[in-house]
Amino acid sequence: MVMFRYHPTLSVSTKNDVASAFHGLKDACRLPDGSRYILSLDGGSFMSPEGRGHGLEHAFVVTFRSLAERDYYLDKDPAHLAFVASILDKVAESTVFDFESGEFERKARGRRRRRPSDEIHVRTV
């Protein structure tokens, strides 16, 4: 999961452009063999009535098949690296939170290790 807090002077239009570009990574990111590896990418705008967003405006959850593919995304994927470079002057702060889907359920059932088929939700920027 990644959440963006934008620079205060950034226009709504530019914020929406950043969100659209981020969402486009689902199709733009490819492994060296040309195959897509992002299983899903979803996101939205802050809307909680509790008001505890700490200035964060957009959040995204990206799902990968494996930690290796997450690491490729972070360190080598040209589309992702270009996106990161393009938002440096727009995003004041990004909050990142990686997690493995189903971790708490596995612990509750006494199964400590994840199966290869379990999805991995990991950071994006």
Side-chain angles (χ1 to χ4, degrees):
M1 177 182 299
V2 64
M3 296 166 278
F4 292 149
R5 181 173 57 82
Y6 296 100
H7 287 291
T9 58
L10 207 64
S11 70
V12 171
S13 175
T14 302
K15 293 174 187 179
N16 289 336
D17 290 346
V18 170
S20 179
F22 187 86
H23 197 265
L25 291 175
K26 183 176 187 291
D27 294 324
C29 290
R30 306 287 179 118
L31 292 172
D33 68 5
S35 64
R36 293 183 178 135
Y37 62 93
I38 295 177
L39 295 179
S40 67
L41 191 157
D42 194 13
S45 298
F46 178 78
M47 56 167 279
S48 174
E50 296 176 298
R52 296 178 185 253
H54 305 285
L56 298 166
E57 294 185 51
H58 289 148
F60 303 90
V61 175
V62 182
T63 305
F64 299 91
R65 290 180 297 208
S66 69
L67 292 174
E69 288 180 356
R70 184 271 320 258
D71 292 346
Y72 174 80
Y73 172 83
L74 291 175
D75 300 328
K76 297 179 182 172
D77 190 288
H80 175 249
L81 297 175
F83 171 79
V84 170
S86 76
I87 66 166
L88 292 176
D89 62 338
K90 298 170 183 73
V91 173
E93 178 182 358
S94 63
T95 299
V96 174
F97 191 92
D98 293 2
F99 65 94
E100 290 187 45
S101 184
E103 174 189 3
F104 297 137
E105 182 180 351
R106 284 191 303 279
K107 286 181 180 178
R109 293 180 181 205
R111 190 167 58 104
R112 298 187 191 282
R113 300 181 68 197
R114 69 176 196 86
R115 296 177 300 217
S117 63
D118 289 342
E119 294 179 344
I120 309 241
H121 298 277
V122 295
R123 68 178 169 183
T124 53
V125 174

